[in-house]
Every structure is written in structure tokens, then in C-alpha cells.
Amino acid sequence: MLTIGCHLSSSKGYLAMGKEARKINANTFQFFTRNPRGGSVKALDLKDVEEYLSYAREQGIRQILAHAPYTLNACSADEGLRAFAKNTMADDLLRLEHIPGSCYNFHPGSHVKQGAEAGISLIADALNEILKPEQHTTVLLETMAGKGSEVGRTFEELREILDRVTLSDHMGVCLDTCHVWDGGYDIVNHLDDVVKEFDQVIGLGRLKAIHLNDSKNPLGAHKDRHEKIGQGYIGKEALIRVINHPMLKDLPFYLETPNELDGYKAEIALLRENYRENGR
Ligand code: FE
Ligand code: FE
Ligand code: ZN
């Protein structure tokens, strides 16, 4: 069965997100762990978590994806900003222990003028401080579009980060279709080659989630502007090939398209209609 969901607002808690997901026929979802621009966060409501966990079990909601605030920069040249990113991520991971088996996605960061190499080592250092052997959450590096000085535009950069993380069993990658397209990977005409390249450079075993987005920009634009499924440069047919690719089809897919709930519902229905179950 296709595992698909979309980005939901976390302001009303986990149970509310679970119910919203089921309303649009999603069986997973993504959410920001806290205000994407700010840092503060309410105390975790343990009753809400407990109610969510039993609802998720009963409704067949699978592994969910928490997204770190996108303003964090674990490879900032500023030590204070790096510390802020580390503290926030460590706190998010502690809270996620209440929902074991989830994934936690973050943007590797922007090296600004330090160079990619310096950025990569700062990101790995941060992860080496944050990760705990006993944790039950897998931390995902997101593939980036290469806007400005973003680290993680190439599979090689992500591989380098993973290579330097000691507890790398707790690490994986989330592939964003808009970002890789904007980053120059032609998933429209050469999906098989891109999947093969990912496997050779990073290893498909590391791939834990896919952000399924169309793009407002052409291949290699380095822009990162998501578009609705079928309304951008990637197009509906190519995205349907992504969800049906034999090496990808069992992964969870998350829509981050510019939509309200009805729009997400329609996209999920479209993708479910065009998904081929295994063995058929
Ligand atoms: Fe993201
Ligand atoms: Fe994304
Ligand atoms: Zn994006």
C-alpha cells in the first residue's frame, strides 16, 4: 500500500494531526516540531501523545516525519547560532522519544562563506554531539536545491556528512523531488540513473523518506520553490513514476506542495489511483 501524507500544522497536537491525516486519506504525515521560524515550544502534552499513539495504531498510521525548523543552521560561522541549532535539535529528539520509530528531518545548513568542506565538518560535529546510542528516532539529512550556499545539494556532500557521524546507524536521508530537480538531478528523463547514482554514492539503505513536490523552476535552477503536483516543471507523469519506482515505492511520501487540506486530499487521491500495488 502506498504510504503517503502531507505536511500538517502541529499547533493542535498529535491527535489532531492524526485525525486530519485520516480525513484526507493519508496514512502518515509530516509536521514542524515547533514554529519553523522561532525556537520556543510548548511542554509536550503526554495525554495527547498517548491518545495519538492508540489512534495511529487503530487507523494504521505509519511512521511519521518530524521536520526541524528550517531556520536552524548547524554549520553557521557563528558559534551561538550553531549552539542554538544543536540545543533545538537535541530537545526535539528528546521529545520524539515519546513517539518511537519516527524520523526527524533537517536541512543540513548553509556554510555562507566558509566553504562546503567546513560546513560538512561542522554539521557532522553537531550530529556527533546530539545523537545518543539509545535513541529511537532516525535523523534524516534532506537533499537540498543548492540555493545560496546550502550544503547537501549533491549526494556526495550528504555522503561525506554521513561518513563522519559516529552513530550513523541513527542517520538516513530524505530525498526532496523539487530540491534534487532544482539541484540538477534529472528525475524526469533519467529517474533510473538518479536512483542508481544515489545508491552508488549514499546507498539506498539510507533513503528513509521522500518529499514529493513539483517545482516552479527548470532543472538545475537552484531555487527551491515547490509547486502543486502536475503544475510544475517535473510534472504529474514523472512524479507518478517516482512513487512506482521499484526501489522507492515502499518508502513514505510526503507532499509539501502549496495546498490547503482539500488540495492535499485531491493530490493524495490522484497518487493513490496511479499507484501500482506490489505483485500486480
Ligand atoms: Fe525541508
Ligand atoms: Fe522538503
Ligand atoms: Zn523546499
Side-chain angles (χ1 to χ4, degrees):
M1 201 211 311
L2 177 61
T3 305
I4 190 161
C6 64
H7 189 90
L8 295 174
S9 161
S10 54
S11 62
K12 293 195 196 104
Y14 283 103
L15 183 61
M17 288 191 282
K19 288 188 171 168
E20 210 160 56
R22 292 310 296 139
K23 238 196 270 173
I24 58 173
N25 204 15
N27 49 356
T28 184
F29 57 89
Q30 175 180 266
F31 60 100
F32 283 126
T33 52
R34 57 190 74 210
N35 182 324
R37 311 209 119 262
S40 72
V41 68
K42 282 188 289 192
L44 194 64
D45 178 350
L46 292 175
K47 185 166 168 274
D48 174 54
V49 168
E50 203 179 298
E51 285 172 354
Y52 164 73
L53 289 174
S54 77
Y55 181 79
R57 222 174 296 123
E58 158 201 314
Q59 293 285 320
I61 296 176
R62 303 174 180 188
Q63 164 198 296
I64 55 174
L65 181 55
H67 195 308
Y70 50 74
T71 46
L72 299 182
N73 188 3
C75 65
S76 171
D78 180 309
E79 204 188 319
L81 292 178
R82 288 204 303 275
F84 178 72
K86 279 185 274 196
N87 292 337
T88 303
M89 290 172 69
D91 185 52
D92 280 350
L93 286 174
L94 268 183
R95 293 161 64 95
L96 284 167
E97 282 300 296
H98 292 277
I99 309 195
S102 308
C103 284
Y104 179 59
N105 175 66
F106 79 106
H107 295 181
S110 295
H111 64 73
V112 190
K113 283 171 188 135
Q114 308 170 89
E117 197 47 38
I120 286 165
S121 75
L122 288 172
I123 294 158
D125 290 350
L127 288 163
N128 283 328
E129 281 183 51
I130 296 163
L131 297 177
K132 298 277 177 283
E134 66 277 12
Q135 73 180 52
H136 297 90
T137 302
T138 304
V139 176
L140 310 184
L141 299 164
E142 182 167 356
T143 60
M144 300 311 293
K147 186 166 41 93
S149 63
E150 276 172 350
V151 178
R153 181 189 67 78
T154 65
F155 298 160
E156 284 79 3
E157 288 182 357
L158 297 177
R159 166 66 194 267
E160 268 200 69
I161 297 170
L162 294 169
D163 278 348
R164 295 181 197 197
V165 175
T166 312
L167 296 173
S168 80
D169 283 0
H170 294 311
M171 295 293 305
V173 172
C174 171
L175 184 145
D176 185 308
T177 55
C178 168
H179 297 178
V180 294
W181 169 257
D182 281 29
Y185 291 98
D186 188 355
I187 54 170
V188 174
N189 300 298
H190 301 284
L191 177 62
D192 256 327
D193 293 340
V194 174
V195 171
K196 246 178 244 151
E197 190 173 340
F198 187 100
D199 193 31
Q200 279 159 6
V201 177
I202 300 178
L204 281 170
R206 293 278 187 195
L207 186 56
K208 303 295 183 195
I210 296 200
H211 283 165
L212 197 73
N213 302 307
D214 211 326
S215 173
K216 283 193 197 293
N217 291 287
L219 179 68
H222 304 303
K223 286 280 192 355
D224 189 4
R225 306 263 326 274
H226 302 185
E227 182 52 284
K228 294 182 173 123
I229 302 299
Q231 295 188 25
Y233 279 86
I234 300 176
K236 184 176 107 175
E237 297 311 319
L239 292 166
I240 288 172
R241 286 195 293 273
V242 169
I243 61 168
N244 284 295
H245 190 285
M247 303 310 285
L248 310 178
K249 66 181 304 174
D250 294 323
L251 292 166
F253 296 91
Y254 301 90
L255 298 161
E256 300 176 308
T257 45
N259 274 306
E260 301 295 329
L261 226 44
D262 316 352
Y264 280 134
K265 185 178 180 182
E267 288 185 349
I268 289 170
L270 170 91
L271 295 161
R272 287 202 184 283
E273 274 162 36
N274 287 282
Y275 183 71
R276 292 185 299 275
E277 297 296 339
N278 285 323
R280 277 193 219 164

